[in-house]
């Protein structure tokens, strides 16, 4: 079985639709501001400010439409292998990752500090996958969703 080559524009459109859905889910509890271009370059998609306390959090959204079929979260370690650009697991400056799995409509709320503490063990224990894109590959660890669930601060279904 050959690995599909991913198209950036298609992936972007899918991600933007998921972002709209996540914004709608969380707007009851948070004032949500889109990230600036500079923040986006830092791996930040939104700034969430709690409506009750005023506490603010930098948020990164990730959507994984394959996770429900594979049972694994794709934790990106290298974004672009031709330039050795670090993946979001290492490079994001967000406080919180909202990892959205369509299908079962599940969101894993993950503190990036916790995720990064687990990366060395995951690198030893889980398979690395190289995903072809046009002219480069993206590398990521296939972390079982039950492991991801144990690390998550909250799971929203």
């Amino acid at each position: 079985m050959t690995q599909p080559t991913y198209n950036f524009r298609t992936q972007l459109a899918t991600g933007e639709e998921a972002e709209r859905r996540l914004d709608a889910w969380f707007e009851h509890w948070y004032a949500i501001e889109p990230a600036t271009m500079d923040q986006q370059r830092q791996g930040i998609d939104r700034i969430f400010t709690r409506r009750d306390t005023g506490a603010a959090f930098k948020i990164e959204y990730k959507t994984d439409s394959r996770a429900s079929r594979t049972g694994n979260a794709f934790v990106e370690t290298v974004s672009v292998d031709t330039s050795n650009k670090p993946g979001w697991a290492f490079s994001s400056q967000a406080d919180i990752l909202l990892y959205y799995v369509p299908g079962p409509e599940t969101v894993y709320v993950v503190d990036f500090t916790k995720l990064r503490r687990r990366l060395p063990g995951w690198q030893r224990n889980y398979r690395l996958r190289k995903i072809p894109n046009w002219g480069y590959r993206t590398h990521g660890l296939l972390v079982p969703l039950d492991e991801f669930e144990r690390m998550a601060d909250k799971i929203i279904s």
Side-chain angles (χ1 to χ4, degrees):
M1 184 164 90
T2 54
Q3 179 80 30
T5 299
Y6 286 88
N7 178 289
F8 178 78
R9 288 177 197 238
T10 302
Q11 295 298 105
L12 181 63
T14 300
E16 288 172 344
E17 175 57 35
E19 287 177 349
R20 285 188 288 277
R21 175 167 276 167
L22 290 168
D23 286 347
W25 281 357
F26 288 98
E27 69 185 359
H28 177 73
W29 299 280
Y30 297 92
I32 300 172
E33 291 295 320
T36 65
M37 289 302 291
D38 185 51
Q39 289 169 325
Q40 288 177 29
R41 284 189 286 276
Q42 297 173 43
I44 300 165
D45 293 309
R46 301 286 189 274
I47 304 298
F48 278 22
T49 303
R50 286 185 58 120
R51 293 187 187 280
D52 59 348
T53 66
F57 304 93
K58 297 174 285 189
I59 305 294
E60 178 157 8
Y61 287 162
K62 288 297 170 193
T63 300
D64 188 341
S65 58
R66 294 183 55 115
S68 62
R69 290 191 309 275
T70 66
N72 296 309
F74 183 82
V75 178
E76 185 185 86
T77 57
V78 176
S79 179
V80 179
D81 64 357
T82 56
S83 61
N84 206 29
K85 181 180 178 191
W88 56 258
F90 293 108
S91 65
S92 178
Q93 297 300 302
D95 302 312
I96 305 289
L97 169 67
L98 295 181
Y99 196 86
Y100 171 53
V101 179
E105 301 297 316
T106 303
V107 179
Y108 298 89
V109 180
V110 176
D111 182 311
F112 262 107
T113 302
K114 286 183 182 179
L115 184 142
R116 290 196 179 106
R117 278 197 305 254
R118 294 197 182 204
L119 278 172
W122 290 350
Q123 288 175 307
R124 286 189 304 275
N125 296 319
Y126 299 124
R127 190 166 51 132
L128 180 72
R129 190 68 177 261
K130 298 176 182 179
I131 307 299
N133 293 279
W134 295 106
Y136 66 93
R137 293 181 300 175
T138 297
H139 302 192
L141 298 167
L142 300 179
V143 177
L145 285 176
D146 61 343
E147 168 73 12
F148 219 67
E149 186 172 318
R150 284 191 295 273
M151 178 202 43
D153 292 310
K154 188 170 188 164
I155 298 150
I156 302 165
S157 296

